[in-house]
Amino acid sequence: MSEIEREAMEYDVVIVGAGPAGLSAAIRLKQLDADLQVVVLEKGSEVGAHILSGAVLDTCGLDELIPDWRDKGAPIKTKVKKDNFYMLGQSGEIRIPNWPMPPLMNNHGKYIVSMANVCRWMAEQAEELGVEIFPGMACSDLVFDGDRVKGVVAGVFGLEPDGSIGEGTEPGMELHGKYVFLSEGVRGSLAKEVIAKYDLSKGKEPQKFGIGMKEIWEIDPDKHCEGTVTHTMGWPLGGNAGGGSFIYHLENNQVYVGFVVHLNYKNPHLFPYMEFQRFKHHPMVAELLKGGKRVAYGARAISEGGYQSMPKMVAPGVALLGCSVGMVNVPRIKGNHNAMLSGKAAAEAAYEAIQAGREGDELSAYEDEVRGGAIGKDLKKVRNVKPMWSKWGMLPSLALGGLDMWTNTLGFSLFGTMKHGKTDAASTEPADKHKVIDYPKPDGKLSFDRLTNVSFSFTNHEESQPCHLQLADASVPMSVNMPKFDEPAQRYCPAGVYEVVDGEFVVNFQNCVHCKTCDIKDPSQNITWVTPQGGDGPNYPNM
């Protein structure tokens, strides 16, 4: 679309993504200088529409950003009162005591929250400070000035199905900034482009990922225990994959029920969504949910590579924030606090640069703060937990990972810094090396088929637009992936986007919940996720 002439708007800082990182950056910039021109562009139909997280929030990032958040009415009310950890078998469970766990694993004093609602509240705080926020504005391209990132293209609508320009095409506009912040979340399309263009992952371990699936349930008030946090490992995944579950009791008799599967699993027959549905039939979980009602569903990839997988975070004119870098503390299952801290750090670096008359250079002070400050310290302590699990399995990693977290808390490690090895895509092995897994049919009460559940994500895409799930070679799914891997896209997608029908590979992009799993796990790396037009995708309520 280079032949299109677009209007341009000039800002001091352009921020892509209204998640906790991007909004924290916007707020901090305006706190530092009310005259700075700051814009936030969000592809969801509203702020929060594409936000999906567990979430038990460590408020350390928000405490630094907005110390009086309680007085300002933040939707952060439900304190963790009870913290449970279970090892599941098929018909029973063993509770693992809290006392052997390192202090960083303690959830007491943290808060069960809807990060979608927290982001909506943060957007209100940002707008009160004068930040311009435009939801429904997908950023489809970067704008370059020589070697620097100068801005983004946003608001393109009405392309023909083949991607060409039609009579009804709205070309969007360019938004230019002295600096551009990419806070798109995990595997963002623009961040992926920047990482590749500037070779930002050179010398780093490959990023690792999980797929997180989540339902919101309204349960029997007699079974509800507000403030209770439960995590599990073991059944149903067993040795087939790493992962586990979370069950969080928030207010109003609601419970967040979630399941995470690490995407470095070998068996292409594994079906992460069905593992989640099977999990809910465990007696402990089934008894909790019996008589309840599922009211929402969603899914999102999670960055799991941690300390050794974080790419270089800056290039000329651009900085990567939050999950665009990968700042999740895997054993704590927390990343929102680090996302907020990264936004604050990026804002402070940009402010200092602009004050000094700079623009379009590398904000090296931001990267120094992330790696040497609170975020780096948080992630360094747990850097070996994920590679241990991948290398040695669940039980050895539980013991050795706990030991390593304890020693890191004391200031040293017996294991140094372990490597991750293969990408998640390269971890997939041929189907003939593994047994087919037989999954029970969903019963429609505790467990549900994918398409029914996707309707509870309130997902919508305008059907005449180009497919945003791009195949580099349309023949690969049936000529390579099907005979070698039994085309795992049929199973790894938690929204039923990909099907094999009468020998044809079918892409139902309208179902897509923007989780990015296909972009990550496809063993041929043949699928690229790009943003559809603004406002499309899921419309999550209080996820």
Side-chain angles (χ1 to χ4, degrees):
M1 296 182 63
S2 58
E3 70 273 19
I4 293 182
E5 291 188 9
R6 298 184 173 92
E7 294 183 7
M9 297 179 67
E10 303 294 330
Y11 291 89
D12 291 303
V13 181
V14 175
I15 301 172
V16 180
L23 290 169
S24 295
I27 289 168
R28 186 59 180 151
L29 283 163
K30 296 295 276 188
Q31 288 173 340
L32 291 166
D33 185 347
D35 293 328
L36 286 175
Q37 299 299 305
V38 181
V39 64
V40 179
L41 303 164
E42 166 57 40
K43 67 182 174 67
S45 61
E46 64 169 348
V47 173
H50 290 179
I51 298 292
L52 186 147
S53 185
V56 172
L57 178 66
D58 181 340
T59 60
C60 64
L62 195 57
D63 292 338
E64 289 196 18
L65 183 71
I66 308 175
D68 59 345
W69 55 264
R70 292 172 180 85
D71 297 332
K72 290 181 178 292
I76 303 173
K77 308 291 185 185
T78 307
K79 263 193 176 181
V80 175
K81 300 172 184 175
K82 192 173 182 180
D83 195 5
N84 302 320
F85 190 77
Y86 289 96
M87 185 69 67
L88 299 188
Q90 185 166 355
S91 57
E93 67 279 343
I94 298 172
R95 182 174 178 187
I96 298 175
N98 294 71
W99 62 263
M101 299 184 188
L104 62 87
M105 295 295 288
N106 186 5
N107 282 307
H108 287 281
K110 311 301 186 290
Y111 291 83
I112 301 169
V113 300
S114 157
M115 281 309 298
N117 287 342
V118 170
C119 287
R120 291 180 178 108
W121 173 82
M122 290 180 71
E124 292 173 0
Q125 308 310 303
E127 288 181 322
E128 287 179 7
L129 292 170
V131 175
E132 296 179 35
I133 301 177
F134 297 119
M137 291 285 279
C139 297
S140 51
D141 290 289
L142 295 165
V143 178
F144 294 94
D145 180 11
D147 191 47
R148 68 166 277 202
V149 175
K150 181 182 180 181
V152 296
V153 174
V156 178
F157 288 91
L159 291 175
E160 296 297 306
D162 64 358
S164 62
I165 300 160
E167 290 184 5
T169 299
E170 298 178 25
M173 62 175 56
E174 293 185 4
L175 294 100
H176 300 162
K178 294 172 182 174
Y179 295 98
V180 176
F181 291 171
L182 300 181
S183 50
E184 303 168 287
V186 177
R187 200 73 164 193
S189 53
L190 299 185
K192 185 180 174 184
E193 182 180 345
V194 165
I195 290 169
K197 176 178 175 62
Y198 296 101
D199 200 15
L200 301 186
S201 290
K202 183 179 180 180
K204 312 296 182 184
E205 284 296 292
Q207 186 58 265
K208 307 295 285 184
F209 300 92
I211 174 62
M213 298 155 286
K214 176 181 173 182
E215 295 171 353
I216 303 177
W217 281 72
E218 293 177 355
I219 65 168
D220 183 341
D222 292 336
K223 300 176 184 179
H224 188 260
C225 189
E226 185 173 310
T228 296
V229 164
T230 298
H231 294 102
T232 77
M233 299 168 64
W235 189 87
L237 289 172
N240 286 323
S245 82
F246 60 87
I247 303 173
Y248 302 155
H249 292 242
L250 61 158
E251 59 268 22
N252 300 322
N253 298 318
Q254 288 194 330
V255 176
Y256 293 149
V257 182
F259 200 79
V260 177
V261 178
H262 300 174
L263 288 176
N264 62 346
Y265 61 83
K266 298 177 180 179
N267 184 351
H269 298 298
L270 189 113
F271 198 156
Y273 175 84
M274 291 306 296
E275 296 286 349
F276 176 30
Q277 299 307 303
R278 182 158 61 170
F279 157 75
K280 290 181 291 177
H281 287 272
H282 186 276
M284 181 181 78
V285 184
E287 178 57 32
L288 175 70
L289 300 180
K290 184 179 178 181
K293 180 174 67 172
R294 168 229 35 204
V295 295
Y297 166 76
R300 190 71 171 91
I302 305 166
S303 62
E304 295 184 339
Y307 184 79
Q308 54 270 59
S309 295
M310 291 193 296
K312 184 180 177 184
M313 302 164 207
V314 294
V318 65
L320 309 180
L321 278 55
C323 281
S324 292
V325 175
M327 298 181 179
V328 171
N329 183 314
V330 172
R332 294 184 73 198
I333 324 178
K334 291 177 180 61
N336 291 304
H337 63 299
N338 285 336
M340 292 178 182
L341 290 171
S342 77
K344 179 175 177 288
E348 290 168 352
Y351 167 74
E352 293 295 338
I354 292 169
Q355 288 295 105
R358 293 160 41 205
E359 67 173 279
D361 59 344
E362 293 190 1
L363 293 172
S364 56
Y366 162 60
E367 178 141 5
D368 292 343
E369 171 59 28
V370 169
R371 295 192 185 275
I375 297 171
K377 291 173 182 175
D378 183 54
L379 297 179
K380 191 172 184 180
K381 290 177 183 177
V382 302
R383 66 192 182 280
N384 290 326
V385 173
K386 170 69 176 178
M388 282 179 174
W389 196 331
S390 301
K391 188 172 183 180
W392 297 322
M394 179 178 64
L395 292 178
S397 69
L398 193 61
L400 295 174
L403 173 64
D404 193 55
M405 285 189 286
W406 264 113
T407 60
N408 273 283
T409 300
L410 298 172
F412 68 97
S413 172
L414 300 173
F415 299 92
T417 298
M418 297 178 65
K419 295 186 176 183
H420 291 302
K422 297 178 180 178
T423 66
D424 292 333
S427 298
T428 313
E429 294 182 347
D432 60 12
K433 286 189 175 183
H434 297 274
K435 292 182 179 179
V436 174
I437 302 173
D438 183 28
Y439 291 98
K441 185 178 179 180
D443 67 358
K445 297 176 181 178
L446 291 177
S447 50
F448 312 98
D449 66 83
R450 278 185 296 185
L451 294 185
T452 298
N453 240 358
V454 168
S455 71
F456 284 81
S457 69
F458 315 106
T459 294
N460 181 65
H461 291 88
E462 203 285 315
E463 296 187 9
S464 65
Q465 67 183 298
C467 176
H468 65 279
L469 304 161
Q470 298 181 349
L471 303 182
D473 184 339
S475 70
V476 163
M478 299 310 298
S479 65
V480 178
N481 285 0
M482 192 66 191
K484 189 172 183 180
F485 302 106
D486 193 31
E487 186 42 271
Q490 302 174 89
R491 292 173 293 280
Y492 61 57
C493 174
V497 168
Y498 303 101
E499 296 180 283
V500 175
V501 180
D502 297 330
E504 297 289 333
F505 187 67
V506 179
V507 181
N508 305 298
F509 76 86
Q510 298 90 341
N511 294 353
C512 179
V513 294
H514 299 195
C515 73
K516 317 293 178 63
T517 303
C518 55
D519 193 299
I520 296 162
K521 186 60 177 173
D522 176 44
S524 298
Q525 285 295 273
N526 188 52
I527 302 173
T528 297
W529 189 99
V530 299
T531 185
Q533 65 185 28
D536 285 2
N539 284 281
Y540 294 136
N542 57 325
M543 282 290 193

